[in-house]
Amino acid sequence: MPRMTISRSRLSFLLTLGLVAPASAQSAKATSHTVLKGDTLWDIARAYLGDPFLWPQIYRLNTAVVEDPHWIYPGEVLQLEAIAGQTAVPTTDTPPPTPRNQPTPSPSSPPVMTQGNQGGDDGLDLFRRKRVADVQNAFKTYREAKFHPLRAGEFYSSGFLTEGDSLPWGTLLGPVTPEQIESGRSRAAVQAYTSVGMQSPEGASYSAGDTLVVVDRREGPVGYGEIVVPTGMIRVTGQNGNQVVGDVIAVFGPIRNGQSLMPAEKFTDPGSLAYQAVTGGIEGQVLVSRDLRELRHPQEVIFINIGRTNGVAPGDLFQARRTPGPQDKTEANAVDELMAVLQVIHVRGRTATVKVLNVISPDIKPGTRVVQIAKLPS
Protein backbone atom coordinates (compact mmCIF):
# COMPACT_ATOMS: atom_id res chain seq x y z
CA MET A 1 0.00 0.00 0.00
CA PRO A 2 1.55 3.37 -0.97
CA ARG A 3 2.36 5.87 1.76
CA MET A 4 -0.07 8.71 2.22
CA THR A 5 1.36 12.20 2.71
CA ILE A 6 -0.74 14.61 4.80
CA SER A 7 -0.15 18.34 4.42
CA ARG A 8 -0.04 20.64 7.45
CA SER A 9 -3.42 22.24 6.63
CA ARG A 10 -5.11 18.86 6.22
CA LEU A 11 -3.45 17.57 9.40
CA SER A 12 -4.78 20.55 11.35
CA PHE A 13 -8.25 19.91 9.93
CA LEU A 14 -8.15 16.24 10.97
CA LEU A 15 -6.93 17.18 14.44
CA THR A 16 -9.88 19.55 14.78
CA LEU A 17 -12.29 16.75 13.87
CA GLY A 18 -10.54 14.39 16.28
CA LEU A 19 -9.73 11.87 13.54
CA VAL A 20 -5.98 12.01 14.25
CA ALA A 21 -4.52 12.01 17.75
CA PRO A 22 -2.07 14.84 18.40
CA ALA A 23 1.62 13.87 18.57
CA SER A 24 1.75 14.76 22.25
CA ALA A 25 -1.06 12.34 22.98
CA GLN A 26 0.63 9.57 20.99
CA SER A 27 3.96 10.08 22.74
CA ALA A 28 2.23 10.10 26.11
CA LYS A 29 0.52 6.76 25.49
CA ALA A 30 2.97 4.77 23.39
CA THR A 31 6.36 3.53 24.66
CA SER A 32 7.21 1.46 21.58
CA HIS A 33 6.41 1.23 17.90
CA THR A 34 6.36 -1.76 15.56
CA VAL A 35 7.77 -0.80 12.18
CA LEU A 36 5.30 -1.08 9.33
CA LYS A 37 5.93 -1.09 5.62
CA GLY A 38 6.75 2.46 4.54
CA ASP A 39 7.83 3.68 7.99
CA THR A 40 10.94 5.81 8.45
CA LEU A 41 12.66 7.12 11.59
CA TRP A 42 11.86 10.58 10.29
CA ASP A 43 8.09 9.85 10.23
CA ILE A 44 8.14 8.02 13.57
CA ALA A 45 9.88 10.95 15.28
CA ARG A 46 7.36 13.36 13.79
CA ALA A 47 4.42 11.22 14.93
CA TYR A 48 5.56 10.44 18.49
CA LEU A 49 7.94 13.26 19.37
CA GLY A 50 6.33 16.05 17.38
CA ASP A 51 9.55 16.91 15.50
CA PRO A 52 11.01 14.79 12.65
CA PHE A 53 14.49 16.18 13.34
CA LEU A 54 14.50 14.26 16.64
CA TRP A 55 14.83 10.92 14.80
CA PRO A 56 18.45 10.46 16.12
CA GLN A 57 16.98 10.18 19.64
CA ILE A 58 14.92 7.14 18.61
CA TYR A 59 17.92 5.66 16.80
CA ARG A 60 20.16 5.98 19.89
CA LEU A 61 17.56 4.12 21.98
CA ASN A 62 17.47 1.25 19.46
CA THR A 63 21.06 0.61 18.39
CA ALA A 64 20.63 -3.04 19.40
CA VAL A 65 17.92 -3.37 16.73
CA VAL A 66 18.79 -0.78 14.10
CA GLU A 67 22.29 -1.26 12.71
CA ASP A 68 22.07 1.53 10.14
CA PRO A 69 19.70 4.47 10.79
CA HIS A 70 19.04 4.73 7.07
CA TRP A 71 17.43 1.28 7.01
CA ILE A 72 14.60 -0.02 9.21
CA TYR A 73 12.56 -3.12 8.47
CA PRO A 74 8.91 -4.14 8.98
CA GLY A 75 8.44 -6.08 12.23
CA GLU A 76 11.19 -4.35 14.22
CA VAL A 77 10.01 -3.04 17.60
CA LEU A 78 11.45 0.36 18.43
CA GLN A 79 11.48 1.89 21.91
CA LEU A 80 10.20 5.44 22.09
CA GLU A 81 11.45 6.30 25.57
CA ALA A 82 14.34 5.21 27.74
CA ILE A 83 13.80 2.32 30.12
CA ALA A 84 15.19 2.26 33.66
CA GLY A 85 18.98 2.32 33.71
CA GLN A 86 19.30 3.09 29.98
CA THR A 87 20.83 6.30 28.63
CA ALA A 88 20.07 8.01 25.35
CA VAL A 89 23.67 7.42 24.18
CA PRO A 90 24.95 3.86 24.91
CA THR A 91 28.04 3.73 27.15
CA THR A 92 29.42 0.67 25.32
CA ASP A 93 29.44 -0.44 21.72
CA THR A 94 26.48 -2.61 20.83
CA PRO A 95 27.26 -5.58 18.56
CA PRO A 96 25.14 -5.83 15.42
CA PRO A 97 22.16 -8.18 15.62
CA THR A 98 22.53 -11.73 14.37
CA PRO A 99 20.87 -12.59 11.07
CA ARG A 100 18.17 -14.66 12.78
CA ASN A 101 17.02 -11.70 14.87
CA GLN A 102 16.78 -9.36 11.91
CA PRO A 103 13.95 -10.06 9.50
CA THR A 104 15.03 -10.53 5.91
CA PRO A 105 13.13 -8.20 3.61
CA SER A 106 11.03 -9.93 1.01
CA PRO A 107 9.86 -8.59 -2.37
CA SER A 108 6.62 -7.56 -0.66
CA SER A 109 8.43 -5.81 2.22
CA PRO A 110 11.39 -3.86 0.83
CA PRO A 111 13.76 -1.95 3.13
CA VAL A 112 12.94 1.71 3.55
CA MET A 113 15.28 4.71 3.60
CA THR A 114 14.81 7.22 6.39
CA GLN A 115 14.63 10.15 3.98
CA GLY A 116 11.36 9.12 2.42
CA ASN A 117 12.21 6.48 -0.17
CA GLN A 118 9.11 6.12 -2.30
CA GLY A 119 9.84 2.76 -3.88
CA GLY A 120 12.27 -0.13 -4.16
CA ASP A 121 16.05 0.15 -3.95
CA ASP A 122 16.92 -1.31 -7.33
CA GLY A 123 20.53 -0.46 -8.14
CA LEU A 124 21.31 1.13 -4.76
CA ASP A 125 23.79 -1.65 -3.92
CA LEU A 126 26.21 0.04 -6.32
CA PHE A 127 26.30 3.14 -4.11
CA ARG A 128 26.26 1.63 -0.62
CA ARG A 129 29.42 1.96 1.44
CA LYS A 130 31.40 -1.26 1.54
CA ARG A 131 32.97 -2.27 4.84
CA VAL A 132 36.62 -3.28 4.92
CA ALA A 133 37.06 -6.26 7.21
CA ASP A 134 40.82 -5.82 7.61
CA VAL A 135 42.33 -2.43 6.84
CA GLN A 136 45.87 -3.75 7.25
CA ASN A 137 45.37 -6.38 4.55
CA ALA A 138 43.83 -3.77 2.27
CA PHE A 139 47.22 -1.99 2.07
CA LYS A 140 49.40 -5.10 2.25
CA THR A 141 50.30 -5.10 -1.44
CA TYR A 142 51.20 -1.40 -1.31
CA ARG A 143 53.43 -1.84 1.75
CA GLU A 144 55.27 -4.82 0.31
CA ALA A 145 55.89 -3.29 -3.13
CA LYS A 146 59.59 -3.46 -3.98
CA PHE A 147 61.35 -0.15 -4.61
CA HIS A 148 63.71 -0.08 -7.58
CA PRO A 149 65.96 2.98 -7.33
CA LEU A 150 66.97 2.67 -11.00
CA ARG A 151 64.66 1.94 -13.92
CA ALA A 152 65.44 1.22 -17.56
CA GLY A 153 63.13 3.93 -18.93
CA GLU A 154 64.92 6.64 -16.94
CA PHE A 155 68.33 5.29 -17.89
CA TYR A 156 67.65 5.34 -21.64
CA SER A 157 65.76 8.66 -21.71
CA SER A 158 68.05 10.75 -19.47
CA GLY A 159 70.92 11.54 -21.87
CA PHE A 160 74.55 12.43 -21.17
CA LEU A 161 77.52 14.61 -22.14
CA THR A 162 79.87 13.17 -24.77
CA GLU A 163 82.97 14.61 -22.99
CA GLY A 164 84.48 15.22 -26.41
CA ASP A 165 84.51 11.51 -27.38
CA SER A 166 83.96 10.54 -31.03
CA LEU A 167 80.92 8.22 -31.03
CA PRO A 168 79.63 6.02 -33.88
CA TRP A 169 76.63 8.09 -34.99
CA GLY A 170 74.09 6.70 -37.45
CA THR A 171 71.31 8.74 -39.06
CA LEU A 172 67.51 8.42 -38.98
CA LEU A 173 66.17 8.79 -42.56
CA GLY A 174 62.44 8.77 -41.80
CA PRO A 175 59.36 6.54 -42.22
CA VAL A 176 59.50 3.88 -44.93
CA THR A 177 55.71 3.80 -45.35
CA PRO A 178 54.11 6.99 -46.74
CA GLU A 179 51.57 8.57 -44.42
CA GLN A 180 47.91 8.34 -45.44
CA ILE A 181 47.55 12.10 -44.95
CA GLU A 182 50.52 14.00 -46.32
CA SER A 183 52.14 16.35 -43.83
CA GLY A 184 53.17 19.82 -44.87
CA ARG A 185 56.27 19.57 -42.70
CA SER A 186 59.33 17.81 -44.04
CA ARG A 187 60.44 17.00 -40.48
CA ALA A 188 57.15 15.75 -39.02
CA ALA A 189 57.57 13.76 -35.80
CA VAL A 190 57.62 9.96 -36.08
CA GLN A 191 55.14 8.06 -33.90
CA ALA A 192 55.50 4.79 -31.97
CA TYR A 193 55.37 1.53 -33.96
CA THR A 194 56.31 3.35 -37.18
CA SER A 195 58.70 1.55 -39.52
CA VAL A 196 61.67 3.76 -40.31
CA GLY A 197 64.73 3.71 -42.51
CA MET A 198 68.21 4.30 -41.10
CA GLN A 199 71.77 4.75 -42.25
CA SER A 200 74.45 3.02 -40.20
CA PRO A 201 77.76 4.72 -39.40
CA GLU A 202 80.53 4.57 -41.98
CA GLY A 203 82.47 1.35 -41.57
CA ALA A 204 79.83 -0.23 -39.30
CA SER A 205 76.49 -2.02 -39.70
CA TYR A 206 73.34 -2.80 -37.74
CA SER A 207 71.86 -6.30 -37.47
CA ALA A 208 68.29 -7.49 -36.95
CA GLY A 209 67.48 -7.42 -33.23
CA ASP A 210 69.83 -4.52 -32.39
CA THR A 211 68.34 -1.76 -30.24
CA LEU A 212 69.23 1.81 -31.14
CA VAL A 213 68.63 5.10 -29.35
CA VAL A 214 67.49 8.13 -31.37
CA VAL A 215 69.04 11.36 -30.06
CA ASP A 216 69.18 15.10 -30.54
CA ARG A 217 72.66 16.60 -30.22
CA ARG A 218 73.43 20.15 -29.19
CA GLU A 219 76.44 22.10 -27.99
CA GLY A 220 77.37 21.45 -24.36
CA PRO A 221 79.49 23.22 -21.74
CA VAL A 222 83.00 24.16 -22.82
CA GLY A 223 85.33 21.19 -22.43
CA TYR A 224 82.56 18.60 -22.04
CA GLY A 225 81.49 17.96 -25.63
CA GLU A 226 77.89 17.75 -26.79
CA ILE A 227 74.62 17.35 -24.90
CA VAL A 228 72.90 14.13 -26.01
CA VAL A 229 69.11 14.16 -25.56
CA PRO A 230 67.35 10.82 -26.33
CA THR A 231 64.04 11.10 -28.20
CA GLY A 232 63.19 7.41 -28.67
CA MET A 233 64.33 3.84 -29.31
CA ILE A 234 64.27 1.65 -32.42
CA ARG A 235 64.49 -2.14 -32.84
CA VAL A 236 66.27 -3.16 -36.07
CA THR A 237 64.19 -5.59 -38.19
CA GLY A 238 66.25 -6.00 -41.38
CA GLN A 239 67.47 -4.39 -44.60
CA ASN A 240 65.68 -2.48 -47.35
CA GLY A 241 68.20 -2.30 -50.15
CA ASN A 242 71.15 -0.32 -48.81
CA GLN A 243 69.17 1.00 -45.87
CA VAL A 244 68.53 -0.53 -42.47
CA VAL A 245 64.86 -0.85 -41.41
CA GLY A 246 63.48 -0.89 -37.88
CA ASP A 247 60.40 -0.19 -35.75
CA VAL A 248 60.04 2.61 -33.20
CA ILE A 249 59.53 0.90 -29.82
CA ALA A 250 59.71 3.89 -27.45
CA VAL A 251 59.15 7.64 -27.70
CA PHE A 252 60.76 10.10 -25.25
CA GLY A 253 60.36 13.26 -27.33
CA PRO A 254 59.93 14.43 -30.96
CA ILE A 255 61.58 11.87 -33.29
CA ARG A 256 62.41 13.58 -36.58
CA ASN A 257 64.25 12.89 -39.81
CA GLY A 258 67.96 13.57 -39.58
CA GLN A 259 68.41 12.83 -35.89
CA SER A 260 71.38 10.72 -34.82
CA LEU A 261 71.42 7.06 -33.82
CA MET A 262 73.64 5.13 -31.43
CA PRO A 263 73.58 1.56 -30.06
CA ALA A 264 71.72 1.33 -26.76
CA GLU A 265 73.93 0.74 -23.75
CA LYS A 266 73.23 -2.28 -21.60
CA PHE A 267 71.16 -1.48 -18.53
CA THR A 268 71.65 -3.56 -15.39
CA ASP A 269 68.76 -3.47 -12.95
CA PRO A 270 70.17 -3.40 -9.39
CA GLY A 271 66.89 -4.74 -8.04
CA SER A 272 65.33 -3.65 -4.76
CA LEU A 273 68.05 -2.14 -2.60
CA ALA A 274 68.22 0.11 0.45
CA TYR A 275 70.45 3.17 0.42
CA GLN A 276 73.46 3.44 2.70
CA ALA A 277 74.25 6.86 4.16
CA VAL A 278 77.59 8.43 3.26
CA THR A 279 79.50 10.78 5.55
CA GLY A 280 81.93 13.21 3.93
CA GLY A 281 80.90 12.22 0.41
CA ILE A 282 82.53 13.45 -2.76
CA GLU A 283 81.64 16.91 -4.01
CA GLY A 284 81.21 18.46 -7.43
CA GLN A 285 79.32 21.18 -9.26
CA VAL A 286 76.33 21.53 -11.54
CA LEU A 287 77.39 22.00 -15.17
CA VAL A 288 74.13 22.61 -17.03
CA SER A 289 70.50 21.52 -17.23
CA ARG A 290 69.71 19.21 -20.12
CA ASP A 291 66.58 21.18 -21.09
CA LEU A 292 68.06 24.66 -20.55
CA ARG A 293 65.38 25.90 -18.13
CA GLU A 294 65.95 28.69 -15.66
CA LEU A 295 64.31 27.04 -12.64
CA ARG A 296 64.64 23.41 -11.60
CA HIS A 297 61.69 21.08 -11.03
CA PRO A 298 61.23 17.42 -9.99
CA GLN A 299 62.21 14.86 -12.67
CA GLU A 300 64.37 17.40 -14.50
CA VAL A 301 67.74 16.15 -15.78
CA ILE A 302 70.99 17.93 -14.84
CA PHE A 303 74.65 17.19 -15.62
CA ILE A 304 77.37 17.41 -12.94
CA ASN A 305 81.18 17.59 -13.33
CA ILE A 306 82.13 14.38 -11.50
CA GLY A 307 81.85 10.84 -12.81
CA ARG A 308 83.22 7.33 -12.77
CA THR A 309 86.83 8.43 -12.19
CA ASN A 310 85.68 10.27 -9.03
CA GLY A 311 83.84 7.23 -7.64
CA VAL A 312 80.33 8.19 -8.73
CA ALA A 313 78.02 5.22 -9.44
CA PRO A 314 74.46 4.86 -10.79
CA GLY A 315 71.90 5.34 -8.04
CA ASP A 316 74.04 7.63 -5.86
CA LEU A 317 72.15 10.36 -4.03
CA PHE A 318 73.46 13.93 -3.96
CA GLN A 319 72.30 17.15 -2.40
CA ALA A 320 72.53 20.45 -4.23
CA ARG A 321 73.52 23.00 -1.59
CA ARG A 322 73.89 26.75 -1.65
CA THR A 323 77.48 27.86 -1.12
CA PRO A 324 77.72 30.19 1.89
CA GLY A 325 79.44 33.52 1.54
CA PRO A 326 79.00 37.13 0.45
CA GLN A 327 76.64 37.86 -2.41
CA ASP A 328 75.95 41.07 -4.27
CA LYS A 329 76.50 44.20 -2.16
CA THR A 330 72.77 44.84 -2.15
CA GLU A 331 71.91 41.32 -0.86
CA ALA A 332 72.39 39.45 2.39
CA ASN A 333 75.17 36.86 2.57
CA ALA A 334 74.17 33.32 1.59
CA VAL A 335 74.14 30.45 4.08
CA ASP A 336 74.76 26.75 3.53
CA GLU A 337 71.29 25.39 2.79
CA LEU A 338 69.74 22.43 0.99
CA MET A 339 68.36 23.28 -2.45
CA ALA A 340 67.43 19.89 -3.96
CA VAL A 341 68.01 16.14 -3.78
CA LEU A 342 69.47 14.49 -6.88
CA GLN A 343 69.82 10.86 -8.03
CA VAL A 344 72.49 9.64 -10.43
CA ILE A 345 70.98 7.96 -13.50
CA HIS A 346 73.89 7.67 -15.93
CA VAL A 347 77.66 7.86 -15.38
CA ARG A 348 80.54 8.59 -17.74
CA GLY A 349 84.22 9.15 -17.05
CA ARG A 350 84.21 12.82 -15.98
CA THR A 351 80.50 13.61 -15.74
CA ALA A 352 77.25 12.14 -14.50
CA THR A 353 73.58 12.59 -15.35
CA VAL A 354 71.34 13.23 -12.35
CA LYS A 355 67.57 13.44 -11.92
CA VAL A 356 66.00 15.97 -9.55
CA LEU A 357 63.98 14.08 -6.93
CA ASN A 358 62.64 17.06 -5.01
CA VAL A 359 63.21 20.80 -4.98
CA ILE A 360 63.41 23.19 -2.05
CA SER A 361 64.98 26.15 -3.84
CA PRO A 362 64.64 26.01 -7.67
CA ASP A 363 67.32 28.58 -8.52
CA ILE A 364 70.01 25.93 -9.07
CA LYS A 365 72.51 27.50 -11.43
CA PRO A 366 75.68 26.20 -13.09
CA GLY A 367 78.39 26.07 -10.43
CA THR A 368 76.01 25.06 -7.61
CA ARG A 369 77.76 22.70 -5.19
CA VAL A 370 76.61 19.03 -5.06
CA VAL A 371 77.50 16.68 -2.19
CA GLN A 372 77.13 12.89 -2.15
CA ILE A 373 74.95 11.73 0.77
CA ALA A 374 74.10 8.05 0.02
CA LYS A 375 75.07 5.08 -2.15
CA LEU A 376 73.58 1.77 -3.16
CA PRO A 377 75.43 -1.28 -1.82
CA SER A 378 78.01 -2.53 -4.33
Side-chain angles (χ1 to χ4, degrees):
M1 177 179 180
R3 181 188 301 173
M4 180 180 294
T5 303
I6 302 177
S7 65
R8 290 183 176 273
S9 58
R10 185 179 178 189
L11 178 61
S12 301
F13 176 72
L14 294 176
L15 288 171
T16 303
L17 296 180
L19 298 179
V20 176
S24 58
Q26 294 186 38
S27 60
K29 294 179 181 179
T31 60
S32 65
H33 174 79
T34 301
V35 178
L36 302 176
K37 180 181 177 181
D39 278 349
T40 67
L41 290 181
W42 176 277
D43 294 334
I44 295 172
R46 178 172 54 190
Y48 290 98
L49 304 181
D51 186 348
F53 289 100
L54 294 178
W55 67 264
Q57 179 177 335
I58 297 177
Y59 166 64
R60 295 189 187 100
L61 294 172
N62 295 275
T63 53
V65 177
V66 181
E67 181 179 357
D68 187 336
H70 292 83
W71 300 96
I72 58 176
Y73 300 89
E76 293 179 336
V77 179
L78 306 180
Q79 297 181 35
L80 302 177
E81 61 182 14
I83 61 177
Q86 183 176 8
T87 60
V89 180
T91 58
T92 59
D93 292 336
T94 304
T98 58
R100 63 180 181 180
N101 292 334
Q102 178 174 325
T104 302
S106 62
S108 59
S109 301
V112 182
M113 293 185 66
T114 61
Q115 298 302 322
N117 182 30
Q118 298 298 320
D121 63 339
D122 295 341
L124 290 181
D125 284 339
L126 295 175
F127 303 99
R128 291 176 183 156
R129 182 176 298 174
K130 303 298 183 182
R131 295 186 177 183
V132 179
D134 189 344
V135 177
Q136 295 299 321
N137 284 335
F139 293 97
K140 181 178 180 181
T141 301
Y142 177 81
R143 294 195 315 270
E144 295 181 354
K146 300 298 184 182
F147 171 69
H148 285 248
L150 293 176
R151 289 167 286 276
E154 293 176 335
F155 174 80
Y156 288 118
S157 64
S158 62
F160 57 89
L161 296 174
T162 63
E163 301 182 2
D165 294 341
S166 178
L167 300 177
W169 301 113
T171 304
L172 177 65
L173 301 177
V176 297
T177 302
E179 300 178 0
Q180 294 180 353
I181 301 177
E182 183 177 357
S183 172
R185 296 174 297 172
S186 61
R187 287 172 57 82
V190 175
Q191 305 300 318
Y193 309 114
T194 301
S195 294
V196 294
M198 299 166 286
Q199 181 177 339
S200 57
E202 185 177 354
S205 62
Y206 299 139
S207 301
D210 288 349
T211 302
L212 309 176
V213 180
V214 191
V215 302
D216 254 342
R217 297 155 58 192
R218 65 175 75 112
E219 185 178 356
V222 176
Y224 291 94
E226 296 178 312
I227 297 175
V228 176
V229 182
T231 59
M233 300 183 73
I234 297 174
R235 181 70 48 78
V236 177
T237 58
Q239 293 284 134
N240 181 16
N242 295 327
Q243 296 181 4
V244 181
V245 178
D247 294 331
V248 176
I249 59 174
V251 176
F252 308 135
I255 301 176
R256 302 186 187 279
N257 304 354
Q259 288 182 337
S260 298
L261 301 170
M262 61 174 295
E265 298 180 53
K266 182 179 179 181
F267 170 73
T268 302
D269 187 348
S272 177
L273 299 173
Y275 278 101
Q276 298 176 346
V278 172
T279 303
I282 54 180
E283 297 189 14
Q285 293 181 336
V286 171
L287 287 173
V288 68
S289 169
R290 186 193 68 180
D291 301 318
L292 306 179
R293 294 186 176 94
E294 290 294 330
L295 300 178
R296 307 286 79 83
H297 59 83
Q299 304 303 312
E300 185 172 355
V301 173
I302 296 176
F303 304 117
I304 60 177
N305 69 344
I306 49 178
R308 191 178 302 111
T309 57
N310 306 101
V312 178
D316 286 0
L317 292 183
F318 280 78
Q319 288 182 346
R321 304 195 67 90
R322 196 180 304 279
T323 301
Q327 304 296 299
D328 186 271
K329 294 181 180 180
T330 61
E331 298 179 357
N333 289 351
V335 297
D336 185 357
E337 64 175 336
L338 175 63
M339 302 180 73
V341 177
L342 316 171
Q343 181 189 31
V344 176
I345 302 298
H346 188 281
V347 179
R348 290 181 63 80
R350 298 185 292 124
T351 61
T353 305
V354 299
K355 178 184 67 175
V356 179
L357 297 183
N358 57 26
V359 175
I360 298 172
S361 182
D363 56 326
I364 302 174
K365 302 175 182 179
T368 299
R369 184 167 55 106
V370 295
V371 181
Q372 182 189 52
I373 60 169
K375 293 183 67 69
L376 293 176
S378 56

